[in-house]
Amino acid sequence: MNQQLVASYWAAQRRDMVERQLKSRGIRDPRVLQAMLEIPRELFLPDESRDLSYRDEPVSIGHGQTISQPYMTALMAQCLELRGTETVLDVGAGSGYHAAVLGALAAKVYAIEIIPALADVARSNLETTGRAGNIVVVCGDGSAGYPQHAPYDAISVAAAAPDVPSELLDQLDDPGTLVIPVGSLWDQELRVVTKSGGQLSTVVASFCRFVPLRGTAGWR
Ligand code: SAH
């Protein structure tokens, strides 16, 4: 296949994913839908998983980790209600795809990844896709946040925590929103924690299953 055909093949897969997996399940934020229509998710997957790029499920990115189901990425991004001016912390950069989506919706993204090889992968994927301009990938334990650039208007955690890490709440601006899966290793609820006027409030957006959060506030 020539390059144009390949590009239109993936563009069609992307349109299909947005219609069938996102719109049909209630993703409404036009900016989230547009970002996911534009970002070439297939370039964030390793060669051996590329065929699965638009599957309605998490897909292996190596190192025992997965790129989240597209719907979960969309839901988490929608919950943050980003308008383009925010500084965001993305915990669990993995392939860098979720960071790319957040980068399209906010002003600045700090993406932290605990596995050094994956931090390199995320950085390289963001460069290749031309998305690295407003995204900094760092290697470290994001369960303790990333105090260097706190406070954050929004924090997104893509790994399951036993509880909401207090460091993340401390590093959340007021007003600010944190989205995080909390529960057991097998089942979690996606919590949306909002800080406003010094008060925290929580709603559950969905039930979910993420890979475990490691590090000081994660699973040992
Ligand atoms: N958002 C990613 C996928 C996340 S998978 C994407 O779009 O591809 C969860 C990621 O969180 C894994 O890469 C895992 O290594 C990472 N992780 C787990 N615990 C972490 C921690 N304490 N700090 C930073 N990253 C962590």
Side-chain angles (χ1 to χ4, degrees), residues 65-66 92-95 98 113-115 118 140-143 158 211 214:
Q65 306 303 320
T66 54
S95 69
H98 198 130
E113 169 56 50
I114 201 165
I115 299 177
L118 280 177
D141 175 13
S143 78
V211 295
R214 304 185 192 287

Side-chain angles (χ1 to χ4, degrees), residues 149-183:
H149 292 278
Y152 301 97
D153 302 299
I155 301 178
S156 175
V157 182
D163 212 334
V164 180
S166 58
E167 287 91 339
L168 295 185
L169 293 174
D170 291 345
Q171 291 172 35
L172 188 64
D173 209 349
D174 185 345
T177 306
L178 162 69
V179 60
I180 180 167
V182 177

Side-chain angles (χ1 to χ4, degrees), residues 37-87:
L37 199 56
E38 284 175 7
I39 296 170
R41 187 175 156 94
E42 70 278 7
L43 299 183
F44 289 84
L45 277 96
D47 287 345
E48 62 274 17
S49 304
R50 204 167 317 280
D51 287 351
L52 310 177
S53 297
Y54 293 94
R55 286 280 182 91
D56 192 10
E57 57 194 44
V59 173
S60 169
I61 52 171
H63 306 274
Q65 306 303 320
T66 54
I67 181 172
S68 304
Q69 177 193 28
Y71 171 70
M72 203 42 77
T73 297
L75 179 63
M76 291 171 79
Q78 177 167 271
C79 288
L80 294 177
E81 298 181 8
L82 299 168
R83 289 295 164 258
T85 54
E86 300 84 356
T87 298

Side-chain angles (χ1 to χ4, degrees), residues 113-196:
E113 169 56 50
I114 201 165
I115 299 177
L118 280 177
D120 290 342
V121 165
R123 222 174 269 125
S124 148
N125 288 342
L126 290 162
E127 288 287 348
T128 308
T129 53
R131 297 271 161 185
N134 63 342
I135 304 173
V136 177
V137 179
V138 294
C139 186
D141 175 13
S143 78
Y146 187 52
Q148 285 85 334
H149 292 278
Y152 301 97
D153 302 299
I155 301 178
S156 175
V157 182
D163 212 334
V164 180
S166 58
E167 287 91 339
L168 295 185
L169 293 174
D170 291 345
Q171 291 172 35
L172 188 64
D173 209 349
D174 185 345
T177 306
L178 162 69
V179 60
I180 180 167
V182 177
S184 72
L185 285 170
W186 311 113
D187 292 293
Q188 305 102 33
E189 50 188 34
L190 186 67
R191 290 195 195 165
V192 184
V193 183
T194 307
K195 191 190 272 187
S196 180

